[in-house]
Amino acid sequence: EVCHALKTDLMLAQIPVIFVTGHSGVKNEIRALEAGAVDFITKPLNPPVVSARVKTHLTLKRQSDILRAQANLDGLTGIHNRRSFDEKLDEECRRHRRYGSPLALAMIDVDHFKRYNDNYGHQEGDACLRQVAATIDACAKRPGEMAARYGGEEFAVILPASDLESARRLGDMLCKAIRQLAIVHQQNESGIVTISVGVASLTPKDDEARQNLLAAADMALYMAKNAGRNRVVGDAIPTQAAAS
């Protein structure tokens, strides 16, 4: 029962469990392994053998953690990828539905990035995305916040326990930080790389939290771009990003 409880908890599911018991027999071993155990050791114990088996499982756990981390990172930018974003958003939406805590989302798009790629080439485009991603990731520093590459030149930041005003402040911070990079972009109105940000927040409980939050943030991003880019829009109210 304890093993089953561990394996059904998202925060604890990856902890390797070894059964050490005086109950031998194939049926007991099968039950333990089916419950999620990685090993089944019966008494009397042989300490050197137990130690060796524990070390083996710790090594496998470390290797598994490395592979899992790599699977959740974007190959170009090194920040969280779309898969990791989806998992985190699902987790936060479950928490939102259960406790009614606020949940905000920022969707971010690099302004006129296709023009940047066409003008400077794909290598420079990749370098630009890496700088933008690192800056966004550095700004998402509150506990629980997560920045991810959503796709192409689009990024996202999940903001647990944040209302719309907090999300707007982060959006302003992101716009300012990207402008301060001063990456030359002759095909952009400002002459440097800028971003547009759409933010949305859910509170109180929303049974369709994921769908509604994504739709609202995406619509806000569309409005930010339509209003002239290099700005933050939230809750259908455009707010010009604070000047640097």
Side-chain angles (χ1 to χ4, degrees), residues 115-136:
R115 295 181 186 177
Y116 187 94
N117 255 347
D118 291 343
N119 193 47
Y120 299 103
H122 290 286
Q123 285 190 336
E124 287 299 318
D126 288 350
C128 172
L129 289 179
R130 282 192 287 267
Q131 290 186 72
V132 169
T135 302
I136 293 172

Side-chain angles (χ1 to χ4, degrees), residues 115-171:
R115 295 181 186 177
Y116 187 94
N117 255 347
D118 291 343
N119 193 47
Y120 299 103
H122 290 286
Q123 285 190 336
E124 287 299 318
D126 288 350
C128 172
L129 289 179
R130 282 192 287 267
Q131 290 186 72
V132 169
T135 302
I136 293 172
D137 193 47
C139 289
K141 56 189 176 183
R142 290 177 55 199
E145 292 183 348
M146 191 187 84
R149 187 181 182 195
Y150 194 72
E153 69 272 22
E154 195 167 359
F155 299 88
V157 179
I158 299 172
L159 304 158
S162 294
D163 58 15
L164 188 64
E165 193 55 40
S166 297
R168 279 204 191 102
R169 285 196 296 269
L170 176 75

Side-chain angles (χ1 to χ4, degrees), residues 10-11 84-105 142-146 157-162 202 204-206 208-210 213:
L10 291 176
M11 300 297 293
S84 183
F85 168 85
D86 287 339
E87 291 176 352
K88 173 71 170 176
L89 186 59
D90 286 343
E91 177 187 337
E92 294 301 336
C93 285
R94 284 193 295 270
R95 184 175 288 111
H96 168 81
R97 286 193 297 269
R98 183 172 182 180
Y99 301 109
S101 54
L103 174 61
L105 176 66
R142 290 177 55 199
E145 292 183 348
M146 191 187 84
V157 179
I158 299 172
L159 304 158
S162 294
L202 292 174
K205 293 181 182 180
D206 185 338
E208 300 295 328
R210 191 184 201 283
L213 188 60

Side-chain angles (χ1 to χ4, degrees), residues 54-65:
V54 169
K55 287 180 180 178
T56 296
H57 287 299
L58 289 175
T59 298
L60 291 173
K61 176 64 166 62
R62 282 191 290 268
Q63 293 172 343
S64 175
D65 287 345

Side-chain angles (χ1 to χ4, degrees), residues 64-84:
S64 175
D65 287 345
I66 292 171
L67 291 174
R68 188 175 297 106
Q70 290 175 342
N72 286 330
L73 296 180
D74 177 62
L76 174 64
T77 64
I79 68 172
H80 290 279
N81 59 18
R82 177 66 178 272
R83 171 185 172 179
S84 183

